[in-house]
Amino acid sequence: MYERKLPVELECGLHLFMEVINGKWKINLIWCIYKGIKRPGELHRQIPKASRRLLDTQLKQLVAQGIIVKTIFEQKPLKVEYELTAFGETLIPVIVVTAQWGETHRQILEPLLQSTTTTVK
């Protein structure tokens, strides 16, 4: 199991926020669930670049943080659904503003990010 090497910093609201969304796919998961995608298989199809294991790990973290709730339906085959809590829904305006910032600055950011992600030969 992963053991954290650095302690969690909780003295600043920004650190608290970053601790919650820290994870490559967490914002995508929150957004997909907000948009109505609730089943694990559907989430994986929406985020195909992420491994199933990583998505499951990040879903568990979001459940533990109170952002989403997991409902298990006792039936055959077993059915699992996720949905945002009222607390989790408070992240939606932050995600929307962040996405708008990215779109507004796309012409500046895309060339910069492409030049930093290409490998040097």
Side-chain angles (χ1 to χ4, degrees):
M1 169 143 299
Y2 171 77
E3 186 176 324
R4 185 180 210 110
K5 293 181 179 45
L6 297 173
V8 177
E9 296 183 34
L10 303 176
E11 61 275 347
C12 170
L14 184 57
H15 289 139
L16 291 169
F17 173 74
M18 289 173 52
E19 193 62 37
V20 170
I21 63 155
N22 185 26
K24 187 169 184 175
W25 304 107
K26 281 187 179 179
I27 290 178
N28 296 73
L29 287 168
I30 292 166
W31 188 253
C32 286
I33 293 168
Y34 169 70
K35 289 296 192 178
I37 299 167
K38 300 178 185 306
R39 305 281 309 276
E42 294 172 319
L43 291 167
H44 189 255
R45 282 190 290 280
Q46 283 293 308
I47 310 171
K49 292 181 181 179
S51 72
R52 183 79 167 229
R53 182 175 175 220
L54 181 57
L55 289 182
D56 288 344
T57 299
Q58 292 190 355
L59 285 165
K60 285 179 190 172
Q61 291 169 350
L62 290 168
V63 169
Q65 293 164 338
I67 304 299
I68 61 175
V69 64
K70 177 181 181 178
T71 305
I72 301 172
F73 297 91
E74 297 295 331
Q75 64 184 44
K76 300 236 185 219
L78 195 64
K79 180 180 174 184
V80 174
E81 287 187 352
Y82 295 96
E83 67 182 292
L84 285 179
T85 63
F87 177 54
E89 288 183 12
T90 64
L91 284 169
I92 298 305
V94 177
I95 293 170
V96 169
V97 167
T98 304
Q100 288 171 341
W101 182 87
E103 287 300 327
T104 299
H105 299 92
R106 177 182 293 279
Q107 290 182 332
I108 296 168
L109 294 171
E110 273 186 351
L112 293 172
L113 294 173
Q114 288 174 349
S115 68
T116 60
T117 58
T118 55
T119 56
V120 178
K121 294 183 182 181

